[in-house]
Amino acid sequence: MNPIAKRTISALTTAALVVLAIIYAPTSWILPAFSVLIALVVLEYLSLVLKKLGRSFRALGPFLLGALIIMICLSALPAIAAHHGNLMMLYLIAIVKISDMGGFAAGVSTAKLMKGGNHKMCPTISPNKSWEGLAGSVAASCILSCSFMPITHFVWYKALAFGVTAALVGTFGDLVESKFKRWVGVKDSSTFMPAGMGGFLDMFDSLLFAPAVLLPFI
């Protein structure tokens, strides 16, 4: 099976599990479940930092601050569930992750169709990221955001604003994580996950900042 097919199947399987968990899981389970996931993301991040720095504990301070920022930002997800319900949390996760898939599809398609390839966004950080892919991310998240309007009760311009913001901030999170992995010198944040999924940090990269940015405007 080729890498694109593996990545697509892994993403769809994960998405299905997340949807089922959020819709059917009791609200009381949400905070403990996300607390465990946040802890795993932070531990994976710190393990990569320690791998890079070795015994240079004096230089660890800024990265401990980074771990704190990750914890605070990801804690927006259970906060959304607690104050606005599981479906609203599903909405925010969905528009961010569908922007990933839209960007990936648009980037791959335009790279094949355009002579000389598409226009790279940050080739030194993430060679596969393109401006065409970003346009695909924005389009996909906006379409899904508007389809959630019966649940969110947003007016159309607020739904579009959330879609655009989710795509932009999600892409920023992805780039930040890509830069971090390049600094550490790894392709995947971990290798124990199924093929195409990377590690916990890879799974949550686009969600690092988007829920925290959008939470105050719900």
Side-chain angles (χ1 to χ4, degrees), residues 6 8 51 54 59 111 113 126 140 145 156 164-165 169 171 193 218:
K6 287 182 179 180
T8 302
K51 177 182 177 181
L113 292 173
S126 184
S145 183
W156 65 268
V164 172
T165 304
V169 182
T171 299
M193 293 285 209
I218 295 177

Side-chain angles (χ1 to χ4, degrees), residues 191-206:
T191 57
F192 67 91
M193 293 285 209
M197 290 177 62
F200 288 107
L201 195 57
D202 289 318
M203 291 174 64
F204 281 86
D205 55 3
S206 56

Side-chain angles (χ1 to χ4, degrees), residues 34-66:
F34 271 99
S35 296
V36 171
L37 288 174
I38 291 169
L40 290 172
V41 171
V42 171
L43 287 173
E44 193 171 87
Y45 164 81
L46 288 175
S47 70
L48 291 172
V49 170
L50 291 173
K51 177 182 177 181
K52 177 68 177 181
L53 296 179
R55 297 182 179 275
S56 302
F57 294 107
R58 191 179 303 175
L60 192 58
F63 297 99
L64 290 176
L65 177 61

